[in-house]
């Protein structure tokens, strides 16, 4: 029984120590991932961008929404390459990842001597693997001493992920390796998805602080068969908004602007008329006293009442035109975007009402 007990204790110690070693390795891997955006067998995954967003809301928040592009095939870039690491930073990164020199451990004449050696070997092996990943990713074989002779004269361009698309498989397209670019030189043509004002503008598209589409109705509440319902969006709330995406090195920026241009109504039933007939109008005009005999510039007329507790889903879609300008030129247009909301409308069978 004593022999079995000792064996059990020894196994527990081995397992516990192995788990400890594994935990240390995992911690080191986690530290490495955080520093570089993650590692994988064939290289280093795209990391965190240095692009700054001003005027927008990266988290969106409860009061802002993202637009749906009119072109369903268009998306903001999932990743791009940008200048990220200097030779000094690269040297520090690789040197700190190399196996550490250790003082010879005192021999205890117990199982812990072997366990300690195993732990050190595992740690050294992991460190060497991390160093190899860095060296492959930065192609250090092409440069002497991490290219320290060019410190301050250029940067290693690395892949970074769009925070909103970091889990998109497309984001892994920028994980091949880093590229050295001299200060003042444009990104080499062989650098895929190199950052540019247009890339910044497209990134800013998803950061636009677009307010949720809201409409006002007159009459409010229940509507009436054959009575025109005025519909409008508050022009004080729905006005142009802009976001700027910028980099310090190289210095470039792009400002993306969204302008509300039209409100489209879908009554939720074929037994209705829209004004205008297309259902697409400008932002509409608020109803005011004395206009009851006018045709609404934006509105709907229901021709049949809703039954029971039912309602018609009145869909309102606000469309925004998107344009951009940059520090390097006039910019251009990006796909228009829209956001829709639906309002349940109850229609009653009363032929006359008095408007306020």
């Amino acid at each position: 029984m004593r022999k079995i007990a000792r064996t059990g204790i020894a196994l527990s110690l081995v397992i516990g120590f192995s788990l400890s070693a594994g935990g240390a390795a995992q911690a080191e891997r986690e530290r490495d991932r955080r520093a570089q955006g993650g590692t994988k067998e064939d290289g280093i995954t795209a990391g965190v961008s240095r692009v700054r967003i001003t005027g927008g809301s990266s988290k969106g928040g409860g009061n802002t929404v993202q637009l749906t592009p009119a072109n369903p095939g268009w998306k903001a870039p999932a990743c791009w390459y940008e200048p990220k690491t200097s030779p000094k930073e690269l040297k520090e990164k690789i040197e700190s990842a190399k196996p550490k020199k250790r003082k010879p451990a005192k021999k205890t004449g117990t199982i812990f001597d072997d366990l300690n050696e195993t732990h050190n070997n595992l740690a050294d092996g992991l460190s060497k693997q991390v160093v190899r990943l860095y060296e492959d990713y930065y192609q250090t074989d092409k440069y002497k001493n991490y290219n320290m002779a060019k410190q301050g004269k250029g940067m290693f361009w690395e892949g970074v992920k769009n925070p909103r698309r970091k889990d998109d498989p497309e984001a892994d397209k920028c994980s091949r390796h880093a590229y050295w670019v001299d200060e003042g030189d444009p990104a080499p043509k062989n650098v895929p998805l190199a950052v540019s004002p247009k890339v910044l503008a497209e990134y800013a598209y998803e950061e636009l602080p677009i307010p949720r589409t809201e409409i006002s109705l007159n009459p409010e509440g229940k509507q009436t068969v054959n009575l025109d319902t005025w519909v409008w969006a508050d022009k004080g709330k729905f006005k142009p908004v802009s976001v700027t995406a910028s980099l310090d090195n190289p210095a470039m920026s792009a400002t993306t602007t969204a302008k509300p241009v039209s409100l489209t109504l879908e009554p939720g039933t074929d037994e209705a008329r829209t004004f205008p007939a297309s259902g697409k109008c400008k932002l509409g005009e608020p109803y005011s006293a004395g206009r009851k005999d006018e045709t609404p510039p934006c509105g709907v007329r229901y021709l049949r009442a809703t039954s029971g507790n039912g309602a018609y889903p009145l869909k309102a879609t606000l469309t925004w035109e998107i344009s951009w300008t940059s520090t390097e030129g006039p910019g251009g247009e990006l796909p228009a975007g829209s956001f829709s909301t639906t309002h349940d409308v109850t229609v009653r069978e009363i032929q006359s009402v008095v408007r306020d």
Side-chain angles (χ1 to χ4, degrees), residues 15-235:
I15 293 171
F17 199 88
S18 297
L19 288 174
S20 175
Q26 179 63 29
E28 188 161 355
R29 284 194 295 272
E30 186 61 26
R31 179 201 68 188
D32 216 42
R33 284 193 189 94
R34 290 175 180 173
Q36 278 299 321
T39 61
K40 58 182 183 179
E41 291 181 359
D42 59 347
I44 300 176
T45 66
V48 179
S49 174
R50 291 184 175 179
V51 174
R52 293 194 319 276
I53 291 290
T54 53
S57 176
S58 61
K59 295 183 179 180
N63 297 322
T64 61
V65 296
Q66 278 191 270
L67 295 174
T68 298
N71 178 357
W74 185 89
K75 289 183 179 180
C79 67
W80 57 86
Y81 280 82
E82 67 182 53
K84 204 147 186 298
T85 301
S86 69
K88 181 180 179 181
E89 291 170 332
L90 176 59
K91 183 175 182 178
E92 292 174 350
K93 187 180 296 184
I94 292 182
E95 292 295 329
S96 65
K98 288 182 177 180
K100 305 297 185 291
K101 293 183 179 180
R102 300 183 181 86
K103 295 180 179 180
K106 294 182 179 180
K107 298 295 183 180
T108 63
T110 67
I111 187 175
F112 290 102
D113 292 338
D114 292 336
L115 290 173
N116 192 50
E117 184 176 355
T118 299
H119 178 275
N120 291 339
N121 289 339
L122 286 171
D124 290 348
L126 175 63
S127 295
K128 290 176 181 178
Q129 184 179 7
V130 171
V131 169
R132 284 195 298 271
L133 284 170
Y134 281 140
E135 290 176 339
D136 289 344
Y137 183 71
Y138 290 97
Q139 306 175 87
T140 55
D141 58 314
K142 294 184 178 181
Y143 313 105
K144 182 179 179 181
N145 189 28
Y146 311 107
N147 222 18
M148 283 294 292
K150 287 196 172 184
Q151 174 65 26
K153 301 177 181 178
M155 298 278 281
F156 287 97
W157 285 47
E158 304 172 31
V160 297
K161 293 185 178 183
N162 181 336
R164 291 189 182 273
R165 299 186 61 193
K166 60 184 179 181
D167 296 325
D168 189 324
E170 291 287 311
D172 291 331
K173 288 187 175 181
C174 301
S175 301
R176 185 181 174 190
H177 55 69
Y179 298 82
W180 173 262
V181 179
D182 286 327
E183 187 79 22
D185 285 355
K189 292 182 179 180
N190 65 327
V191 177
L193 295 172
V195 69
S196 66
K198 186 176 182 182
V199 167
L200 294 179
E202 292 175 337
Y203 172 40
Y205 186 109
E206 292 185 333
E207 299 294 323
L208 288 163
I210 302 297
R212 183 178 297 275
T213 301
E214 295 177 357
I215 57 174
S216 298
L217 306 179
N218 185 282
E220 296 181 12
K222 292 182 179 181
Q223 304 304 307
T224 303
V225 169
N226 292 322
L227 178 70
D228 295 344
T229 300
W230 288 56
V231 182
W232 68 94
D234 183 352
K235 294 181 181 179

Side-chain angles (χ1 to χ4, degrees), residues 282-314:
K282 294 184 178 180
L283 298 191
E285 299 176 17
Y287 177 81
S288 59
R291 304 187 71 178
K292 65 178 181 179
D293 294 327
E294 294 182 27
T295 298
C298 189
V300 60
R301 179 189 299 168
Y302 287 100
L303 306 178
R304 182 181 292 273
T306 50
S307 58
N309 295 323
Y312 293 131
L314 172 61

Side-chain angles (χ1 to χ4, degrees), residues 257-279:
T257 300
K259 178 183 178 182
V261 292
S262 65
L263 182 65
T264 302
L265 304 178
E266 298 175 56
T269 174
D270 292 335
E271 298 188 88
R273 290 179 56 190
T274 55
F275 304 99
S278 64

